Amino acid sequence: MNKTELIDAIAADADISKAGAQRVLDSVIDHVIKAVTKSDTVQLIGFGSFSSGKRAARVGRNPRTGEEIKIAAAKTVKFTAGKGFKNAVNKKKK
């Protein structure tokens, strides 16, 4: 499912226009990005949590030459699936 298909599904489920559904989805995504950028966690009960993490600097290897390269530290985005989501994927009942 891509973003357009998701917007179509939201519009149908909520009985709103596709333009309205797109504004809602864009707003949700924007607020999740803003919160995680500020190191906040966005927790959606039954779905999952979005948070930020840190990846330490490390030494890697260029696979073509075998030469060592330094990989800088970086912030990462984590998603942890909630119990309801995991159960749905594994087809378990609550």
Side-chain angles (χ1 to χ4, degrees):
M1 175 179 276
N2 62 31
K3 187 175 180 181
T4 302
E5 293 168 339
L6 182 57
I7 289 168
D8 292 344
I10 292 168
D13 287 350
D15 195 25
I16 59 175
S17 69
K18 290 181 184 180
Q22 181 172 355
R23 286 193 306 274
V24 170
L25 182 59
D26 288 344
S27 178
V28 169
I29 291 169
D30 186 47
H31 285 287
V32 169
I33 290 170
K34 285 178 183 176
V36 173
T37 299
K38 292 189 293 186
S39 297
D40 290 340
T41 298
V42 177
Q43 185 177 16
L44 304 171
I45 302 298
F47 180 68
S49 299
F50 296 91
S51 60
S52 62
K54 294 179 183 175
R55 184 177 297 141
R58 61 194 189 281
V59 176
R61 291 206 178 269
N62 181 330
R64 192 169 290 173
T65 64
E67 177 186 2
E68 284 191 354
I69 56 172
K70 291 182 181 179
I71 301 171
K75 286 185 177 181
T76 62
V77 178
K78 296 184 201 177
F79 175 75
T80 305
K83 185 176 180 181
F85 192 176
K86 288 179 187 177
N87 288 344
V89 170
N90 291 308
K91 295 182 178 32
K92 292 182 183 175
K93 294 185 179 178
K94 293 180 183 180

